[in-house]
Amino acid sequence: MTKKKIREHDLTVGEAVPWDVFSEEGELLVRKGHVVSSVKQLDILIKRGLYAASHAHPPKSETYIQPSVVRMLNSANKRLEFLSREIIAGKGGEKEKLLEVAHLVYAAVDLQPNVALACILHNQKVGMYAIRHCIDTAIVARMIAKAMKKSAAEKLVIIAAALTMNLGMLAHQERLQSHKDALSPEDAEIIKRHPIHTVDMLRHAGVDDEVWLACVLLHHENEDGSGYPFGKRGHDVPLDAKIISLADRYTARVSSRNYRKSLVPNAALRDMLLEGNSSVDQSLVATFIKELGTYPIGTFVRLENGEIGVVTSRGASSTTPIVDSLIGPRGAPLERVNRRDTSKPLCGVREVLSEHQAAVGFNLDQLWGPVASA
């Protein structure tokens, strides 16, 4: 049998294997269609040889399932919810499983960062808010950590900390996030102490990485000492915890919840700036704005020519993104998506729109292709 070495990036955690995979000796390891369920399983396959039939890319007649950021993130959502409930119930030995979810989110963002960012705004109906919010936070934190040239190991720990930052209040979060009245003293104490409670739960679950635990413990502290649970000031808060903190604030603002409407993305970024002459690290906010852009990926906009579309990628500058137009100047859906460079005449961004104002129905794969398939 003719064999060809499979490259590591040919396989992705959470996605189906597109061919039968054999060891170097010809032993069948997994059949085509098998879903690689964990980073550990991926590592085992790599160590055992990872050989496939010579057609590394299967003929057109064969079914090939292209990796999808949306499916990977949805898988991470389900697995994180299950693990969170296991940890809340007091189960130990969950560190490696949590890291596998962190690897899955890491791989999803690496596969197509624009789709991962778009999911924050356009994949909000998947799973419970409390879990989805942690994944959204991890996506943004991963982007910022990369911009700050963090190592792969550092980025993974930041993702893991973001995914687990609210375990200590998960049992209360659905109730508290819909709370319209003033918090009771008991609920205020739950919120204030949830980072401490979360760290205790993570230690019991087997997490012993002190950087991970410090990020969780301190992600609600502020530059001016107004945060919680300890009231620490900026110089006493690790940079990684600050990254998670700002990612947490941003994604919370752009997420729709049953007790309030979401902010449009550029308003969320502006809100963070205004919030924060003293409470947030302004140099870090500047990095956020530089990386996310004035019009973050997924933002609905109206162009100077009257078209309505979605920001799909960065452009020549932070204020001139690439937009895929879906609605024409007279309000009728376009027969095909028109890609617009907003640095060009008549294609500049006139205004940012809310989802309600845009009134545009679309699927992510219409704009980003199979990598965004549900």
Side-chain angles (χ1 to χ4, degrees):
M1 176 179 63
T2 304
K3 294 175 289 188
K4 181 176 180 178
K5 184 73 174 177
I6 299 172
R7 297 164 297 178
E8 183 175 345
H9 64 265
D10 286 333
L11 298 182
T12 303
V13 174
E15 296 292 335
V17 176
W19 346 259
D20 290 341
V21 178
F22 300 85
S23 70
E24 190 170 5
E25 294 76 26
E27 175 191 1
L28 178 65
L29 299 179
V30 294
R31 287 201 175 277
K32 173 184 171 182
H34 172 84
V35 175
V36 180
S37 61
S38 68
V39 173
K40 183 178 291 185
Q41 185 181 68
L42 185 62
D43 289 342
I44 290 172
L45 289 173
I46 292 170
K47 289 175 182 177
R48 294 202 60 186
L50 270 184
Y51 281 81
S54 58
H55 51 278
H57 297 285
K60 292 182 180 179
S61 60
E62 295 187 30
T63 301
Y64 175 72
I65 303 175
Q66 180 170 327
S68 161
V69 173
V70 177
R71 290 197 298 269
M72 292 166 74
L73 292 176
N74 289 350
S75 175
N77 190 305
K78 291 178 182 177
R79 291 165 66 182
L80 181 60
E81 181 175 351
F82 174 78
L83 285 173
S84 297
R85 297 194 186 284
E86 292 281 281
I87 294 170
I88 290 170
K91 188 173 180 180
E94 301 295 276
K95 176 184 176 181
E96 292 306 316
K97 294 178 182 178
L98 288 170
L99 285 174
E100 287 173 3
V101 179
H103 273 290
L104 187 52
V105 174
Y106 193 124
V109 178
D110 265 6
L111 179 60
Q112 177 44 271
N114 289 341
V115 175
L117 287 171
C119 282
I120 295 172
L121 299 176
H122 300 295
N123 199 34
Q124 294 195 13
K125 295 182 179 179
V126 174
M128 58 188 293
Y129 167 76
I131 298 296
R132 190 180 68 248
H133 170 62
C134 290
I135 290 176
D136 291 347
T137 299
I139 291 168
V140 174
R142 163 74 175 82
M143 299 286 292
I144 302 306
K146 180 180 180 181
M148 302 186 76
K149 302 190 183 305
K150 296 280 186 178
S151 69
E154 289 173 318
K155 286 182 283 193
L156 185 65
V157 169
I158 289 171
I159 291 172
L163 293 176
T164 56
M165 63 184 179
N166 289 333
L167 274 173
M169 61 180 291
L170 189 62
H172 310 278
Q173 198 156 355
E174 290 297 315
R175 174 177 61 84
L176 291 175
Q177 65 108 0
S178 61
H179 206 290
K180 296 180 180 178
D181 302 319
L183 291 173
S184 68
E186 293 78 15
D187 284 342
E189 187 66 12
I190 287 172
I191 292 173
K192 181 177 180 180
R193 291 190 59 79
H194 86 263
I196 298 172
H197 188 199
T198 300
V199 167
D200 290 342
M201 295 168 70
L202 287 171
R203 287 193 187 278
H204 182 76
V207 176
D208 55 2
D209 187 308
E210 294 301 326
V211 175
W212 178 345
L213 296 172
C215 285
V216 170
L217 185 64
L218 302 175
H219 77 280
H220 280 298
E221 300 289 357
N222 291 332
E223 288 296 300
D224 58 4
S226 63
Y228 59 88
F230 305 116
K232 288 182 177 290
R233 291 187 173 272
H235 57 273
D236 292 322
V237 181
L239 178 60
D240 292 352
K242 294 180 183 182
I243 291 172
I244 293 171
S245 175
L246 283 180
D248 178 16
R249 296 179 196 212
Y250 170 73
T251 56
R253 283 163 170 74
V254 299
S255 294
S256 174
R257 290 183 254 180
N258 56 9
Y259 70 98
R260 69 156 174 80
K261 293 182 179 179
S262 59
L263 289 175
V264 292
N266 66 327
L269 291 171
R270 185 172 63 246
D271 190 38
M272 286 166 59
L273 272 172
L274 295 176
E275 169 188 332
N277 290 331
S278 60
S279 69
V280 298
D281 184 331
Q282 290 300 300
S283 64
L284 196 53
V285 172
T287 302
F288 266 67
I289 294 174
K290 180 180 178 182
E291 288 307 306
L292 295 178
T294 304
Y295 308 104
I297 304 299
T299 302
F300 286 114
V301 294
R302 190 191 308 275
L303 304 182
E304 292 293 348
N305 63 11
E307 293 176 349
I308 293 174
V310 178
V311 175
T312 53
S313 64
R314 299 179 65 171
S317 72
S318 63
T319 59
T320 56
I322 303 300
V323 171
D324 281 7
S325 291
L326 299 166
I327 302 293
R330 296 184 180 180
L334 295 170
E335 291 186 4
R336 62 181 179 83
V337 173
N338 287 333
R339 181 148 294 178
R340 304 299 191 191
D341 180 346
T342 60
S343 68
K344 304 300 183 182
L346 300 180
C347 291
V349 175
R350 182 194 300 175
E351 62 178 325
V352 173
L353 303 175
S354 67
E355 183 178 8
H356 175 72
Q357 291 171 320
V360 176
F362 72 98
N363 295 320
L364 291 173
D365 57 359
Q366 282 181 255
L367 306 184
W368 286 278
V371 75
S373 296

